[in-house]
Amino acid sequence: MIRVILADDHPVVREGLSAMLGAEADIQVVAEASNGPQAEALAAELRPDIVLMDLRMPRGNGVDSIERMVAAGLSCRVIVLTTYESDGDILRAVEAGAAGYLLKDLARGELADAVRAAARGETVLAPSVASRLVDQLRTRPERPRLSDRETAVLQLVAEGCTNAEIGRRLYIGESTVKTYLLRVFGKLGVDDRTAAVTTAMRHGLL
């Protein structure tokens, strides 16, 4: 049995989705949430297989909730189910860890099949979403590349170490630490330590 949580701020939408999925012999809707934090709490408590997540709800958006669930190590797979298909929404959701991105105009059978596919570990994307995602990735700037030593320096910055502490940890001089940081700033296109860490995390470098 595939256990599902529905997260959408519209009761009528949740009712419709629950009826659609509840008619399937191998799918069970175990809970409903009206916002992201509620969905996160239910996912942590009930450990479902799938969370169907709307993107725009009160008390934060769906992408933030996906990021927090992934960071918490929850094993459930999150499928975005929304009316929005802007390039930014799609990319942010996929980067956050969404297992799928579907639009609310899909047919009943398509939704059930997508839930089954995601439960098997597959990625499920609406055709228009898949096309736009491919276009974005083709035109996206190449991810910055940091050397192992640059990454090690930046990791210690992320841990709150000063240049002197980094030097002691890596057995290099403080001036060498500054040189590595300047290289990192240049590669990431930033001007300070905080921006370097956040940008590196966004690119998956830390």
Side-chain angles (χ1 to χ4, degrees):
M1 183 69 71
I2 301 171
R3 302 169 70 249
V4 178
I5 287 177
L6 304 177
D8 195 290
D9 59 323
H10 294 99
V12 173
V13 172
R14 295 198 306 272
E15 183 178 345
L17 293 173
S18 183
M20 290 169 63
L21 295 176
E24 304 294 327
D26 58 338
I27 300 175
Q28 178 187 14
V29 176
V30 296
E32 298 179 12
S34 60
N35 57 63
Q38 187 180 15
E40 296 165 40
L42 288 169
E45 176 187 355
L46 302 175
R47 302 287 170 165
D49 302 294
I50 302 292
V51 176
L52 281 177
M53 177 82 72
D54 192 13
L55 273 189
R56 302 183 187 179
M57 296 179 287
R59 298 178 58 193
N61 60 58
V63 170
D64 291 339
S65 291
I66 294 170
E67 289 178 338
R68 286 192 288 266
M69 285 190 282
V70 170
L74 299 184
S75 60
C76 59
R77 292 171 63 78
V78 182
I79 302 174
V80 171
L81 183 61
T82 183
T83 56
Y84 305 100
E85 57 174 328
S86 73
D87 292 351
D89 286 332
I90 295 168
L91 194 57
R92 281 192 295 273
V94 172
E95 288 181 331
Y101 197 110
L102 302 174
L103 303 177
K104 288 182 178 177
D105 60 357
L106 81 173
R108 169 178 170 173
E110 292 175 329
L111 178 60
D113 287 344
V115 167
R116 295 185 184 102
R120 291 193 300 267
E122 300 174 19
T123 299
V124 290
L125 298 171
S128 62
V129 169
S131 176
R132 297 176 77 152
L133 184 59
V134 169
D135 288 342
Q136 288 180 67
L137 293 176
R138 282 176 178 164
T139 59
R140 196 178 184 189
E142 185 178 355
R143 188 173 77 165
R145 296 178 182 272
L146 301 181
S147 69
D148 291 343
R149 181 60 64 143
E150 289 165 350
T151 301
V153 168
L154 192 56
Q155 181 62 55
L156 291 174
V157 170
E159 294 173 12
C161 295
T162 65
N163 288 355
E165 290 169 335
I166 294 171
R168 287 195 295 272
R169 294 273 292 271
L170 298 180
Y171 303 102
I172 57 178
E174 191 171 346
S175 61
T176 304
V177 173
K178 292 178 181 178
T179 298
Y180 279 123
L181 282 176
L182 287 174
R183 290 179 187 171
V184 169
F185 292 173
K187 289 182 177 181
L188 299 180
V190 299
D191 298 316
D192 60 66
R193 297 160 71 94
T194 301
V197 170
T198 55
T199 300
M201 292 179 70
R202 188 169 66 248
H203 285 292
L205 301 174
L206 290 180

